């Protein structure tokens, strides 16, 4: 495992420093060009940059199991599948920690520059001591949340047989929590509904390191703070626990499935129907006009068919998926009429 760790360190030298350096430069220009600077200006950029970086790092560090040539090379090494995965996983954690540590130091360095008037406007921009502490606490939470987000992204990335599948899995999993929250919001009483929709966080996983972490620290007096925090931390905990199936899958991966269409039961066969049925429930809740609902049903079915075609690499999808599409039509019609006729 130590040899794999050393190899990954050498392999990451052109990529990781360039990625981090690009982020620092963009970070500096955003701050110097800002007219109004707040805690969110610092933590928001860090959160979304680290989110994008996690995806890129996962693709770079674990992409070896998406091509047969590179997979054969790695599996020829004198290490077990478990040791190979753990070495790469630990190295990725180190990269994540270094990135947040460096960005944390840059935050205070850039705040110092702003305080002495180094900005495009030439104005002196000061942050209170409490705001500087909020930046520190938020970045600390971003590290913890980043590990959880990395686990769930890596789980679905490793389960995919091809880069295309991994991108589709990523798009699906990023939006499922958001749609689930919208369904919850539109299912509760009307007064609560209006307030919750106006003040609830954007619970798409793409916001986990951005608005979520800053909210935990800076919005403790918000009316819906308890709900948002509990919901957000629950999702984060689930993402963190996804390391268990991630680790188990890493010891049972099969090289012969790489680059082939995905046939696993717990894969697109479950995730795609789940996503699109949730979309139908959401549309049925917010739209009380049957012709428009039928149009939305057609759009959802078309998108569902496109997802199946991409996963199967053919426009002629399997009979089982055709049956699932038909069931989706039935469920969609039942939902539209049962919800809208209440």
């Amino acid at each position: 495992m130590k040899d794999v760790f050393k190899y990954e360190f050498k392999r990451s030298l052109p990529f990781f420093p360039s990625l981090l350096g690009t982020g620092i430069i963009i970070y500096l220009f955003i701050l110097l060009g800002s007219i109004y600077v707040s805690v969110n200006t610092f933590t928001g950029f860090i959160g979304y940059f680290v989110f994008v970086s996690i995806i890129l790092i996962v693709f770079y560090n674990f992409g070896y199991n998406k091509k047969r040539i590179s997979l054969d090379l790695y599996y020829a090494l004198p290490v077990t599948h478990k040791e190979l995965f753990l070495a790469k996983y630990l190295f990725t954690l180190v990269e994540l920690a270094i990135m947040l540590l460096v960005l944390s130091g840059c935050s205070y360095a850039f705040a110092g520059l702003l305080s002495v008037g180094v900005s495009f406007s030439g104005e002196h921009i000061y942050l209170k001591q409490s705001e500087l502490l909020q930046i520190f606490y938020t970045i600390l939470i971003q590290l913890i949340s980043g590990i959880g987000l990395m686990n769930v992204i890596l789980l679905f990335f490793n389960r995919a047989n091809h880069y295309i599948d991994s991108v589709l899995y990523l798009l699906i999993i990023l939006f499922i929590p958001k749609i689930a929250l919208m369904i919850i919001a539109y299912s509760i009483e009307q007064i609560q509904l209006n307030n919750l929709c106006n003040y609830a966080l954007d619970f798409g996983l793409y916001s986990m390191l951005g608005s979520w972490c800053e909210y935990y620290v800076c919005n403790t007096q918000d009316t819906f703070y308890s709900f948002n925090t509990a919901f957000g931390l629950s999702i984060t905990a689930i993402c963190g626990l996804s390391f268990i199936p991630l680790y188990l899958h890493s010891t049972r991966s099969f090289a012969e499935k790489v680059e082939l269409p995905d046939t696993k039961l717990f894969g697109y066969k479950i995730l795609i129907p789940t996503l699109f049925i949730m979309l139908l429930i959401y549309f049925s809740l917010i739209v009380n006009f049957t012709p428009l609902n039928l149009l939305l049903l057609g759009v959802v079915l078309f998108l569902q068919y496109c997802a199946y075609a991409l996963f199967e690499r053919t426009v002629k999808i399997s009979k089982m998926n055709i049956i699932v599409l038909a069931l989706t039509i039935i469920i969609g019609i039942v939902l539209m009429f049962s919800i809208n006729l209440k």
Side-chain angles (χ1 to χ4, degrees):
M1 185 186 297
K2 185 184 297 184
D3 292 335
V4 177
F5 202 89
K6 291 179 179 178
Y7 173 76
E8 289 299 314
F9 174 75
K10 294 178 181 179
R11 179 174 170 268
S12 70
L13 286 179
F15 171 73
F16 182 72
S18 300
L19 177 63
L20 182 55
T22 301
I24 293 172
I25 293 172
I26 297 174
Y27 191 19
L28 175 61
F29 273 86
I30 288 177
L31 290 175
L32 294 184
S34 298
I35 298 176
Y36 173 75
V37 175
S38 65
V39 173
N40 182 60
T41 310
F42 289 84
T43 60
F45 172 81
I46 292 176
Y48 288 107
F49 175 75
V50 172
F51 163 71
V52 174
S53 297
I54 287 174
I55 295 175
L56 294 177
I57 290 172
V58 165
F59 273 64
Y60 185 80
N61 288 354
F62 293 88
Y64 71 94
N65 63 4
K66 298 295 174 283
K67 292 183 179 181
R68 292 183 180 181
I69 296 177
S70 59
L71 189 66
D72 291 340
L73 173 63
Y74 271 90
Y75 281 2
L77 298 175
V79 292
T80 64
H81 294 186
K82 181 176 68 173
E83 290 174 336
L84 178 61
F85 167 77
L86 285 177
K88 282 180 165 291
Y89 180 82
L90 291 174
F91 183 77
T92 305
L93 283 182
V94 171
E95 288 183 315
L96 175 60
I98 291 175
M99 178 172 289
L100 282 166
L101 181 64
V102 171
L103 290 174
S104 176
C106 289
S107 298
Y108 292 106
F110 296 160
L113 292 177
L114 292 173
S115 67
V116 296
V118 179
S119 66
F120 294 151
S121 64
E123 296 182 4
H124 295 259
I125 302 175
Y126 301 96
L127 290 177
K128 300 176 182 177
Q129 184 176 358
S130 60
E131 292 176 319
L132 295 174
L133 285 174
Q134 287 174 339
I135 292 174
F136 172 76
Y137 294 141
T138 301
I139 294 176
L140 183 61
I141 297 174
Q142 284 174 332
L143 174 60
I144 299 171
S145 297
I147 295 173
L149 184 61
M150 186 189 78
N151 285 347
V152 74
I153 289 176
L154 186 53
L155 170 64
F156 288 94
F157 179 82
N158 268 359
R159 290 186 61 81
N161 296 340
H162 194 274
Y163 281 114
I164 296 176
D165 295 348
S166 60
V167 172
L168 293 173
Y169 278 142
L170 184 61
L171 291 175
I172 291 172
I173 198 63
L174 288 177
F175 286 95
I176 283 182
K178 176 179 176 64
I179 299 171
L181 178 68
M182 291 191 300
I183 291 173
I184 293 173
Y186 277 92
S187 300
I188 59 180
E189 296 178 5
Q190 191 64 33
I191 296 177
Q192 293 176 327
L193 161 66
N194 292 332
N195 291 330
L196 187 57
C197 288
N198 288 331
Y199 296 105
L201 288 175
D202 181 350
F203 279 101
L205 292 188
Y206 49 81
S207 295
M208 179 182 288
L209 303 184
S211 58
W212 295 23
C213 297
E214 187 262 341
Y215 180 90
Y216 298 150
V217 175
C218 301
N219 294 73
T220 56
Q221 302 301 317
D222 184 75
T223 305
F224 296 96
Y225 180 80
S226 298
F227 173 85
N228 290 333
T229 301
F231 203 95
L233 291 179
S234 298
I235 295 176
T236 303
I238 293 172
C239 290
L241 291 173
S242 64
F243 175 79
I244 298 174
L246 167 64
Y247 175 75
L248 294 176
H249 180 266
S250 70
T251 61
R252 296 199 301 258
S253 57
F254 300 98
E256 63 270 15
K257 294 184 179 181
V258 173
E259 297 184 355
L260 295 177
D262 194 336
T263 58
K264 294 182 289 292
L265 178 60
F266 183 71
Y268 80 92
K269 293 182 178 180
I270 291 179
L271 290 177
I272 289 180
T274 299
L275 175 65
F276 287 104
I277 287 175
M278 290 173 66
L279 282 174
L280 288 173
I281 294 174
Y282 176 66
F283 288 142
S284 299
L285 285 168
I286 66 172
V287 179
N288 190 13
F289 184 58
T290 301
L292 182 55
N293 277 337
L294 291 173
L295 175 62
L296 292 172
L297 175 60
V299 172
V300 169
L301 290 174
F302 174 74
L303 293 175
Q304 187 173 350
Y305 165 78
C306 291
Y308 283 138
L310 285 172
F311 273 110
E312 295 190 26
R313 317 284 196 275
T314 176
V315 295
K316 187 178 180 181
I317 63 177
S318 66
K319 293 181 180 179
M320 179 58 66
N321 288 335
I322 293 175
I323 293 174
V324 175
L325 277 171
L327 290 174
T328 304
I329 295 175
I330 296 172
I331 294 172
I333 293 175
V334 170
L335 285 171
M336 280 188 290
F337 284 97
S338 61
I339 292 174
N340 291 333
L341 292 178
K342 286 183 179 181

